[in-house]
């Protein structure tokens, strides 16, 4: 059995850890409230943008646009959005598993556009090429950050550096539900989305022409998808960290209670032993 001193030292250590996890939970809760509001306010816009572009493409007939056709490259590019810090349960690893556990995304076939230090660390260990990294974006993401990344990936796509672009991020459902998601962005598929009823008969007309119009619309669509992914990822990360710190705090509280019981038993055992020794000594004298 551990000595009373060892038990007390361990109990103090766990109490110190509990104070840290409580503080981290409070910080994550405050950040989550702000990030959740931002995600909920922006989500309808980005969902509508995705739906609108899909609808436009289905009603556009045969268009020979650079973003709608394959460019011949067999490489795949993935925008990976994770956090800059750990202590968020499986949040970061769940995103990277979308690549590392899928045989269609082998390191030799993929280039990574990375947002988030943890994702970079994990994917580098698996041998993935980090073509672009701007993890500082995750500290305070702005729309212009998504626009800058969108311009970069679209230029690389036009130059034939990769043939398909995906985004790996976490969809924010609610405080405790976050869904790792891998979404294909380009080439934009004309088969995605649903247009029902008489809408299928309505052909889209463009001014000045459909190719120029789509060359303006699709970059905005890509920027919207990236920014929406970043915003949802930030909310998901703080939700995951809040849940992880809450669990850690509860576990620490249980350990403190168990150590308290163990300490009391050790103390009682020590007192009993001392009394036994006193009684034995008294009997020996008498």
């Amino acid at each position: 059995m551990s000595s009373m001193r060892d038990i007390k030292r361990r109990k103090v250590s766990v109490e110190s850890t509990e104070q840290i996890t409580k503080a981290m939970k409070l910080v994550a809760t405050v950040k989550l409230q702000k990030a959740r509001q931002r995600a909920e306010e922006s989500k309808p816009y980005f969902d509508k943008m995705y739906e609108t572009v899909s609808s436009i493409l289905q009603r556009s007939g045969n268009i020979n646009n650079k973003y709608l056709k394959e460019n011949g490259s067999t490489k795949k590019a993935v925008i990976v959005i994770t956090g800059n810090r750990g202590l968020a349960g499986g949040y970061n690893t769940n995103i990277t598993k979308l690549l590392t556990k899928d045989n269609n995304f082998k390191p030799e076939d993929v280039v990574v556009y990375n947002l988030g230090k943890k994702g970079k660390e994990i994917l580098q260990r698996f041998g993935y090429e980090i073509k672009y990294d701007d993890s500082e974006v995750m500290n305070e993401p702005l729309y212009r950050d998504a626009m800058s990344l969108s311009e970069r990936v679209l230029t690389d796509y036009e130059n034939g550096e990769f043939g398909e672009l995906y985004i790996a991020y976490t969809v924010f459902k609610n405080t405790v539900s976050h869904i790792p998601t891998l979404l294909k962005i380009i080439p934009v598929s004309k088969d995605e989305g649903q247009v029902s009823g008489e809408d299928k008969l309505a052909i889209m007309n463009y001014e000045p022409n459909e190719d120029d119009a789509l060359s303006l619309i699709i970059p905005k669509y890509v920027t919207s998808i990236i920014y929406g992914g970043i915003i949802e990822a930030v909310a998901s990360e703080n939700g995951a960290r809040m849940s992880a710190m809450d669990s850690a705090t509860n576990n620490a509280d249980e350990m403190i209670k168990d150590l308290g019981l163990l300490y009391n038993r050790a103390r009682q055992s020590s007192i009993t032993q001392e009394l036994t020794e006193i009684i034995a000594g008294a009997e020996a004298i008498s």
Side-chain angles (χ1 to χ4, degrees):
M1 181 182 291
S2 301
S3 67
M4 291 173 59
R5 181 180 298 176
D6 291 339
I7 296 171
K8 188 173 183 180
R9 187 183 296 117
R10 189 179 177 194
K11 185 169 179 285
V12 170
S13 176
V14 175
E15 286 172 341
S16 177
T17 301
E18 183 184 37
Q19 290 177 352
I20 294 171
T21 57
K22 275 185 178 179
M24 292 185 69
K25 177 188 173 184
L26 288 173
V27 171
T29 301
V30 172
K31 288 185 176 180
L32 173 61
Q33 291 173 347
K34 180 180 177 182
R36 179 179 183 174
Q37 181 179 357
R38 195 174 179 185
E40 290 176 346
E41 288 175 351
S42 61
K43 186 174 177 62
Y45 168 76
F46 299 114
D47 287 348
K48 194 64 179 177
M49 173 65 83
Y50 186 84
E51 177 187 329
T52 300
V53 170
S54 297
S55 175
I56 287 173
L57 294 177
Q58 289 190 40
R59 293 189 243 177
S60 297
N62 295 320
I63 303 175
N64 187 30
N65 183 270
K66 57 188 175 183
Y67 299 126
L68 305 181
K69 60 183 180 180
E70 297 182 357
N71 62 10
S73 174
T74 58
K75 282 271 190 180
K76 293 182 175 119
V78 185
I79 299 170
V80 179
I81 305 175
T82 58
N84 286 334
R85 296 183 297 133
L87 299 176
Y91 170 76
N92 293 307
T93 55
N94 287 340
I95 286 295
T96 56
K97 280 180 181 178
L98 293 173
L99 274 67
T100 61
K101 299 296 184 181
D102 190 333
N103 288 329
N104 293 322
F105 292 88
K106 296 178 180 178
E108 60 270 22
D109 300 328
V110 172
V111 293
V112 174
Y113 293 78
N114 182 74
L115 301 177
K117 293 178 181 178
K118 289 300 176 181
K120 180 180 179 181
E121 291 173 2
I122 296 170
L123 292 175
Q124 281 183 326
R125 289 201 299 269
F126 279 89
Y128 286 87
E129 176 191 350
I130 308 297
K131 184 176 180 64
Y132 172 92
D133 176 55
D134 189 5
S135 296
E136 296 305 314
V137 167
M138 301 308 296
N139 293 329
E140 193 62 42
L142 300 172
Y143 187 80
R144 65 170 176 264
D145 297 320
M147 186 181 298
S148 176
L149 178 54
S150 175
E151 291 172 355
R152 171 68 184 269
V153 295
L154 288 175
T155 298
D156 289 348
Y157 178 74
E158 290 173 36
N159 292 336
E161 296 189 27
F162 58 84
E164 295 178 357
L165 175 66
Y166 297 79
I167 183 169
Y169 71 109
T170 307
V171 174
F172 179 81
K173 286 293 185 183
N174 52 54
T175 304
V176 296
S177 179
H178 323 111
I179 306 171
T181 302
L182 186 66
L183 177 68
K184 185 178 180 181
I185 304 180
I186 53 176
V188 180
S189 174
K190 295 175 64 175
D191 298 326
E192 294 180 359
Q194 296 292 329
V195 180
S196 58
E198 296 181 358
D199 285 344
K200 290 184 178 180
L201 302 176
I203 300 299
M204 191 73 65
N205 295 316
Y206 298 90
E207 284 291 341
N209 62 68
E210 55 194 23
D211 187 53
D212 289 344
L214 287 175
S215 292
L216 290 172
I217 292 171
I218 291 178
K220 294 183 183 299
Y221 153 81
V222 173
T223 299
S224 298
I225 295 295
I226 294 173
Y227 185 66
I230 293 173
I231 294 302
E232 293 209 34
V234 171
S236 298
E237 179 187 1
N238 284 295
R241 182 166 292 110
M242 186 190 74
S243 297
M245 292 302 99
D246 182 55
S247 296
T249 300
N250 291 336
N251 290 338
D253 189 55
E254 289 296 321
M255 288 183 67
I256 290 168
K257 289 178 182 178
D258 291 341
L259 289 169
L261 290 173
L262 195 59
Y263 179 83
N264 288 335
R265 288 173 185 168
R267 185 167 178 270
Q268 290 171 357
S269 178
S270 176
I271 292 172
T272 301
Q273 184 176 351
E274 289 178 3
L275 288 173
T276 301
E277 291 173 353
I278 291 171
I279 293 171
E283 288 177 350
I285 294 173
S286 62

